[in-house]
Amino acid sequence: MGNDGGSIPRRSELVREKKKDEKADRKNQLQAMTTNCSLSKRPLRQPIVSDALGRLYNRESVLEYLLDNRAFGDGSQICAHIKGLKDIKTLQLKDNPSLNKHGSRDSTSLVAGREEAEEARFVCPVTMKEMNGNLPFEFAWSCGCVFSAMARREMGKASGSGNVNGNGNGSGSGDLDAVAECVVCGQSVLSDDIIPINSQDAQVLDTLRSRMAERRRREDDERKSKKAAKKTKTKTKGKRGREEAEQEKEQGEEDNV
């Protein structure tokens, strides 16, 4: 080696190349996760849903999985936490106005996005940034509206609603601070309503899992409370009915006398 006219790459060059390859792989992965169903791996098509971890699915694929959890080879690894339709949310997505009916870009479009980027089917309804995996996007669990993290940050600054900074790395792993309302429809949202889409941040995913467990506990408590209230109402109604019947019977006996 070294006598054939070639050069031996230095360690620093090899490290740079490795990091460059890893960055490219991560970008490709995020683009694939943004355009394909996490379960079937087929292209996303409406209606599109997400789980509490921000993964995207075709609704029909989730239904197929719920009917037969062996329908997809790795289904139990990907969405074992999806037990029913209450564990998914139908997303409200804005179509990319720069694409024509054939799905290709209109040359006259002014939608924000890089020309060489893969065609994105959806955009943020506030900033018009394309949802192609290069920028962090989020959705509100309560209403299903999808928007860019940038829109939430800017709207948060305008309304003075606390710290809503994201990391802007395209992973959808911005912070999960409370916001007063959805930036798209204006509906009030809870502090745990904002779900980053396709986050790769382990800490954020742990937080989302904790919030998913808390949401389920809260829903179970509400269901038990409603069931108890219904049972009490039925018992009260039955008691009232017996009392009315007894009164009517007594009244009838008095009339006979």
Side-chain angles (χ1 to χ4, degrees):
M1 293 180 67
N3 295 323
D4 58 357
S7 61
I8 300 175
R10 289 175 294 182
R11 183 176 183 277
S12 60
E13 294 175 340
L14 293 175
V15 171
R16 275 199 304 271
E17 286 299 320
K18 182 179 180 180
K19 289 183 177 180
K20 184 177 179 180
D21 291 341
E22 289 176 349
K23 185 176 181 180
D25 290 342
R26 184 168 175 278
K27 180 179 179 180
N28 292 334
Q29 181 184 16
L30 285 170
Q31 288 180 343
M33 293 173 69
T34 305
T35 57
N36 297 323
C37 171
S38 295
L39 190 56
S40 68
K41 309 302 185 293
R42 293 191 288 266
L44 288 169
R45 60 182 182 182
Q46 298 278 28
I48 298 170
V49 301
S50 181
D51 58 17
L53 301 181
R55 300 295 182 253
L56 304 178
Y57 308 91
N58 287 323
R59 191 173 190 275
E60 63 179 3
S61 297
V62 176
L63 293 176
E64 188 175 349
Y65 167 78
L66 291 174
L67 291 173
D68 180 8
N69 57 16
R70 297 169 298 178
F72 304 96
D74 55 355
S76 59
Q77 299 176 12
I78 296 173
C79 53
H81 55 284
I82 298 179
K83 307 296 184 182
L85 295 180
K86 68 181 187 308
D87 296 322
I88 58 175
K89 189 70 178 181
T90 300
L91 300 181
Q92 307 300 322
L93 292 150
K94 179 175 178 57
D95 291 329
N96 189 344
S98 71
L99 302 183
N100 57 34
K101 63 180 181 180
H102 302 295
S104 58
R105 191 179 298 277
D106 185 342
S107 60
T108 62
S109 173
L110 298 177
V111 170
R114 298 178 58 184
E115 290 300 323
E116 66 272 19
E118 183 178 347
E119 308 294 358
R121 289 184 54 200
F122 307 107
V123 298
C124 170
V126 179
T127 65
M128 298 304 290
K129 293 291 185 181
E130 294 186 341
M131 182 177 165
N132 54 19
N134 294 330
L135 294 173
F137 270 68
E138 306 166 335
F139 76 94
W141 184 267
S142 56
C143 57
C145 293
V146 177
F147 43 84
S148 65
M150 179 187 297
R152 182 169 66 89
R153 288 198 303 270
E154 295 304 319
M155 296 293 284
K157 291 178 182 178
S159 61
S161 57
N163 176 22
V164 287
N165 294 318
N167 61 12
N169 63 1
S171 65
S173 57
D175 69 75
L176 304 177
D177 291 341
V179 293
E181 60 184 27
C182 171
V183 299
V184 179
C185 69
Q187 178 175 319
S188 297
V189 295
L190 300 175
S191 60
D192 61 351
D193 262 353
I194 304 302
I195 311 292
I197 293 177
N198 291 329
S199 175
Q200 301 295 293
D201 188 308
Q203 185 175 357
V204 170
L205 291 174
D206 286 341
T207 299
L208 291 175
R209 290 188 182 94
S210 297
R211 291 184 171 185
M212 177 173 61
E214 174 61 23
R215 186 182 292 113
R216 284 178 173 173
R217 185 196 64 76
R218 190 166 60 241
E219 290 174 350
D220 287 342
D221 289 344
E222 291 176 356
R223 185 163 53 251
K224 290 178 181 178
S225 296
K226 290 180 179 179
K227 186 176 181 180
K230 184 177 181 181
K231 186 176 181 180
T232 301
K233 184 177 180 180
T234 301
K235 186 181 295 185
T236 302
K237 183 177 181 181
K239 183 179 179 180
R240 187 185 303 114
R242 287 194 298 273
E243 291 176 348
E244 291 175 349
E246 290 175 357
Q247 291 176 0
E248 186 174 340
K249 182 179 179 181
E250 292 174 357
Q251 183 65 40
E253 292 175 350
E254 291 178 357
D255 293 342
N256 293 331
V257 172

